[in-house]
Amino acid sequence: MSNPIDPYAAELPPAQRDGRLGVGVISAGRVGAVLGAALRNAGHQLVGVHAVSEASRDRAESLLPEAPVLEIPEILRRAELVLLAVPDDALPPLVSGLAEAGHCQPGQLIIHTSGRYGVGVLTPAEQAGAITLAIHPAMTFTGMSVDLDRLSACAFGVTADETVLPVAQALAVEMGGEPVVIAEEDRGLYHAALAHASNHLNILSAQASQLLTGIGVDQPERVLGPLMRASLDNALASGESALTGPVARGDIGTVQRHLELLADPQLPADLRAAYSAMARAATQRALDRGLISEDTAAALLDVLP
């Protein structure tokens, strides 16, 4: 594959114009270690990684064995591309502190991987002359090498100034993903959508597994796996028209019976609350799609707390 950064070389300082960059990773969490390895596999050189916890050091040793473990200021001194893969709440003070201390270099690429933020959070670094990009992989990470293969099916939400947006897109492609441009003002909703889809699916799976385990099903994943995979595939392909189940059929008695059983004080309270909230949402969606009548929707909402 031709070098995707070359067409935009005029926007980069001379040290970066061959497209091969010295990369520093801050820090070696699940995301940072994997993306650092992906950049290394694309031909870039790892010049340093920040890893404090034992788990981070283990990931660095496993995925980034050639990268020396360094303090953050030294990484910024050495790197042409700095990957900030820190928790969302830690990002603003980190960027401000680095800029105020004079560690950000003119022409240096500084990238964060947060879904929540666009490039506005990197303004202190930009004011110091850095080129700022937001590149967020829309994937859940294990922090193991298996994630590198998964990047090939991964979208990256990219946000950057129009003049350097092609650089962000090119880097996403180099890491194996597909860039999807997200406007600065839309980053919050973008991240909310991903968190709702991924994190809440995890909770739904855990709650359903808990119910099955409670009635003696030893391997609930064998029961839920085929159902949930088929449901997800159908939902992604057909949207709300793929909705099935008692709400879509208008089976009010079935929904009411579910709620009665889930009210058992021996079950976690969050389980009934989650069922009710999702059933109410499903009722409105089913009504909007014409799957149920207004009378049926009203009757369902009457039994849902």
Side-chain angles (χ1 to χ4, degrees), residues 42-193:
H44 301 291
Q45 179 185 4
L46 293 174
V47 299
V49 58
H50 184 63
V52 176
S53 70
E54 183 177 350
S56 293
R57 288 179 176 271
D58 288 344
R59 274 189 292 269
E61 183 177 350
S62 174
L63 289 170
L64 313 171
E66 70 279 31
V69 176
L70 302 170
E71 294 300 318
I72 293 176
E74 180 61 18
I75 290 175
L76 267 81
R77 190 185 71 80
R78 296 186 181 197
E80 296 164 309
L81 184 158
V82 180
L83 188 69
L84 301 177
V86 299
D88 289 352
D89 288 349
L91 186 59
L94 173 63
V95 176
S96 296
L98 292 174
E100 290 172 5
H103 296 306
C104 300
Q105 304 177 46
Q108 190 174 47
L109 286 168
I110 296 187
I111 302 169
H112 77 70
T113 63
S114 168
R116 171 183 170 186
Y117 292 109
V119 291
V121 72
L122 299 176
T123 297
E126 182 183 22
Q127 291 174 340
I131 298 170
T132 57
L133 314 170
I135 303 179
H136 172 257
M139 190 178 83
T140 182
F141 285 77
T142 65
M144 297 185 289
S145 58
V146 65
D147 293 338
L148 290 168
D149 293 330
R150 293 174 178 166
L151 288 177
S152 62
C154 177
F156 283 72
V158 299
T159 303
D161 183 88
E162 185 177 350
T163 59
V164 292
L165 181 60
V167 178
Q169 293 170 308
L171 287 167
V173 170
E174 283 200 331
M175 286 186 279
E178 178 182 353
V180 177
V181 178
I182 307 296
E184 178 79 15
E185 63 272 19
D186 293 333
R187 291 290 288 203
L189 285 177
Y190 159 79
H191 194 229

